[in-house]
Amino acid sequence: MTRRTLVLGGARSGKSAHAEGLLPADEEVMYVATGRRDPTDPEWTARIDAHIARRPHTWRTVEASRELADVVRAAKGATLVDDVATWLTGVMDAAGAWEGAGLDLVRREGAMLVEAVAATEARVVLVSSEVGLGVVPHTRSGRLFRDELGALNAALAQRCDEVLLLVAGIPMRLR
């Protein structure tokens, strides 16, 4: 039985909707939302609201920012984390790592998440952006984010039983 699944994809690839479809709609699922609301950004709020609206009523939402590893480690039932890239953005913000300082903290947080995924007994589905298929970012911060997320995705993939890549809404099984 698949216990840990990593769903990767680019922007608007359908990765979140596909990941949601991997878990039972008629049972309780813990949906771990990593995106922080910003009252000054109505477009971001609309995206969050659209995600909420399509979730089954039996699912409960938990908002997690820095404590994601603790939430995953303590999970008892089916758990969906959406998404790792947004979580990493928050970790990099908190560490002040956009210019390269604070990367040790970012990597420790990432390692704690990887170990939590490996240790949990729960069924876990993780959603993350695949950032390695595009152009090399023009800015240092963009390159740092791409590199850190790429390394974190690779480490999570090593701990997952199943790894999927979505392209144009079509899932491809990598493992």
Side-chain angles (χ1 to χ4, degrees), residues 122-137:
R123 166 73 167 112
V124 175
V125 177
L126 303 144
V127 177
S128 190
S129 295
E130 176 49 62
V131 292
L133 299 174
V135 298
V136 175

Side-chain angles (χ1 to χ4, degrees), residues 26-40:
D26 59 344
E27 295 177 21
E28 184 174 306
V29 170
M30 181 172 59
Y31 185 104
V32 184
T34 63
R36 296 172 292 185
R37 287 188 181 270
D38 178 353
T40 66

Side-chain angles (χ1 to χ4, degrees), residues 91-103 106 141 144:
V91 172
M92 290 183 73
D93 282 346
W98 292 106
E99 294 302 320
L103 286 177
V106 170
S141 59
L144 280 170

